[in-house]
Every structure is written in C-alpha cells, then in structure tokens.
Amino acid sequence: MEKRQELYAGKAKSVFTTDDPDRVILQFRDDTSAFDGERMESLDRKGMVNNRFNAFIMETLSAAGVPTHFEKRLSDTESLVKTLEMIPVECVVRNIAAGSLVKRLGVTEGEALSPPTFELFLKNDALHDPMINESLAETFGWATADQLAEMKALTFKVNAVLKQLFADGGLLLVDYKLEFGLFKGQLVLGDEFSPDGCRLWDAETREKLDKDRFRQGLGGVIEAYEEVGRRIGVSFD
Ligand code: UDP
C-alpha cells in the first residue's frame, strides 16, 4: 500500500490517498481542538493514543456486526480505511445528560437519560454544527429517510456494545458522536471513535476522562485517554 498525497486535513486527522482509489490512510495528529477549532493545542502522544484506541473500538464494533470503514492499523499514528462518501450529519446518543444538552435544556448534568436520546447535527463548523432533524436532512438532501433510519439503528447498536465494554472497565459511556458514509452504496461507520468524540466518566467517582478535560482546562488529557484505553484492553506499547 503506497501512501500518496494529502487529500484533506481536518482538525485532528489528515487523510491521504493511496495507490488504491478505494482506500485512504487516516493520520492521527497530536492536534487537539475545541469550540469548533477556536482553541487548538498540540498534545504529545495524542495521535498514537487515539489511533490505537480507535483501532480497538472499530475492531470491537466490526466483530459485533457493525459495518465500519476500518481496515487495519498501519503504524502508531496511521490507519488504512475504506474511501467513503461522507454523509454530513453527526449522530449523537446520550445515556447521561452533559454538554450542549445541559446548556440547551437546562437539565442537570449527570441526570440519567432513559430511554437514551438520539440527536442529529449538521457537520458544518462555520455554522457551529447546528442541530437538525430528519425532515431537514431529507429536504436538503444530506441523507435519505432509509439512510437516517439505518444510521439511527446502527448508532443504538453501537451504544449496546460500547456501554457494556466501558462498564466492564468501570466507566460510564455518557454520550458520543458518530459519522457515517457510503462505500459502494453501503452505509458504514466512518471517522473515528476516541475520547475526543465521546464522554467517559469513572463509574465510581464520575471523574471526567475524555475531551472535556481539554475543553474545561482540567489537565491530564492524554493520561486520561490512556487510562480509559487500558481499562478496556487497548495496548499502547
Ligand atoms: N461531539 C463531537 N464533535 C462535535 C460535537 C460533539 O465529537 O462536533 C461529541 C462530544 O464529544 C460529546 C457528544 O458528541 O461526546 C455530544 O456533544 P454535545 O452535543 O454535548 O456538544 P459539546 O458539549 O461537545 O459542544
């Protein structure tokens, strides 16, 4: 597999073409951003930690029957994935109230959400990822009704698998964001799953062990990512 030119640089990952048009390489960088890219910092080891974390989660999901773009980890900071046509809609499931939900609805952080909630956001930094719904997504052609139904079903399937995985490591999966894309017409999970895109709390102390440590300036960001990784069986050696 030959790595060719950079196709796109996101806030934390870069995408490179390869000699196979159906495969691209994701490079996980040390860059960390918050507030739609308003705050940027480089955190030592982050690329390696998130690449390994994501590989572990994608393999776990794939084994549980969730179709993903993940092919294999190539190096400490690179993974090979299928080339997707991305759907510009972010799917968020919440098991516990936190983040924007608390701000928007005035509910208490930490409140258990039963049943878990499902939200859609438009992937658009310039507009600050506004909340949308199925009607808007269909009308503006961001996703079809069938794709939205499948995205919702897969996002909840991910919840069942990962809630248990994290619970076994003494962690609460508070909420997370997923992105999907199409590979030769098939809907598959894309992007990444790492503590950058989810909230994880210690089940006993409720200590935050995810990107909120960066957003809230709590320090120990990468140490927390490694701690949650270790608890679920990710190897960082
Ligand atoms: N999230 C994300 N990217 C985004 C927005 C949200 O990965 O652009 C994740 C976030 O880390 C959290 C979940 O989605 O795990 C719900 O985020 P929320 O709506 O509470 O927004 P935030 O508080 O992150 O602005």
Side-chain angles (χ1 to χ4, degrees), residues 154-167:
L154 286 172
T155 303
F156 275 113
K157 182 162 184 172
V158 167
N159 200 35
V161 177
L162 296 189
K163 224 165 53 167
Q164 189 59 53
L165 176 79
F166 288 115

Side-chain angles (χ1 to χ4, degrees), residues 90 92 94 98-100 121 129 175-177 196-199 215:
E90 302 185 339
V92 171
R94 301 176 197 268
S100 73
F121 296 89
D129 293 351
D175 57 31
Y176 56 91
K177 180 264 302 175
D196 269 2
C198 68
R199 288 190 169 92
R215 294 189 190 99

Side-chain angles (χ1 to χ4, degrees), residues 2 29 44 53 76 89 91 106 113-114 118 123 134-135 166 176-177 188 192 198 201 204-205 207 229:
E2 191 193 314
R29 307 194 314 268
D44 199 32
F53 196 104
D76 259 0
V89 172
C91 298
L113 302 171
S114 182
F118 179 74
K123 199 173 158 62
E134 297 190 9
S135 162
F166 288 115
Y176 56 91
K177 180 264 302 175
V188 306
E192 68 176 279
C198 68
W201 295 352
E204 291 294 316
T205 64
E207 185 187 7

Side-chain angles (χ1 to χ4, degrees), residues 11 35-36 90-94 98-104 119 121 123 125 129 174-179 191 194-200 210-212 215:
K11 294 192 289 289
F35 315 116
D36 300 317
E90 302 185 339
C91 298
V92 171
V93 158
R94 301 176 197 268
S100 73
L101 185 82
V102 168
K103 279 197 211 129
R104 196 169 358 111
E119 292 156 51
F121 296 89
K123 199 173 158 62
D125 272 348
D129 293 351
V174 172
D175 57 31
Y176 56 91
K177 180 264 302 175
L178 300 181
E179 292 179 29
D191 193 44
S194 75
D196 269 2
C198 68
R199 288 190 169 92
L200 294 162
D210 52 64
K211 195 171 171 181
D212 272 350
R215 294 189 190 99

Side-chain angles (χ1 to χ4, degrees), residues 43-46 49-50 53 166 169-172 194-196 198-202 205-215 217-234 236:
L43 296 176
D44 199 32
R45 296 163 56 76
K46 176 169 179 275
V49 169
N50 276 3
F53 196 104
F166 288 115
L171 296 158
L172 296 170
S194 75
D196 269 2
C198 68
R199 288 190 169 92
L200 294 162
W201 295 352
D202 181 275
T205 64
R206 298 214 154 196
E207 185 187 7
K208 293 175 173 159
L209 298 169
D210 52 64
K211 195 171 171 181
D212 272 350
R213 297 202 71 83
F214 178 73
R215 294 189 190 99
L218 299 174
V221 180
I222 297 311
E223 291 77 3
Y225 287 23
E226 284 177 299
E227 167 71 15
V228 294
R230 268 194 300 272
R231 288 206 209 172
I232 59 169
V234 183
F236 296 115

Side-chain angles (χ1 to χ4, degrees), residues 7-8 15-16 20-26 58 67-71 80-88 151 154 178-192:
L7 195 61
Y8 168 82
V15 182
F16 291 83
D20 179 350
D22 287 335
R23 298 289 182 273
V24 290
I25 293 173
L26 292 187
M58 288 286 173
T68 85
H69 69 157
F70 186 79
E71 291 278 309
L80 186 68
V81 300
K82 295 186 177 80
T83 310
L84 303 187
E85 190 189 316
M86 293 305 292
I87 293 173
M151 284 158 66
L154 286 172
L178 300 181
E179 292 179 29
F180 294 88
L182 300 172
F183 182 71
K184 299 183 189 293
Q186 194 207 354
L187 189 87
V188 306
L189 178 61
D191 193 44
E192 68 176 279

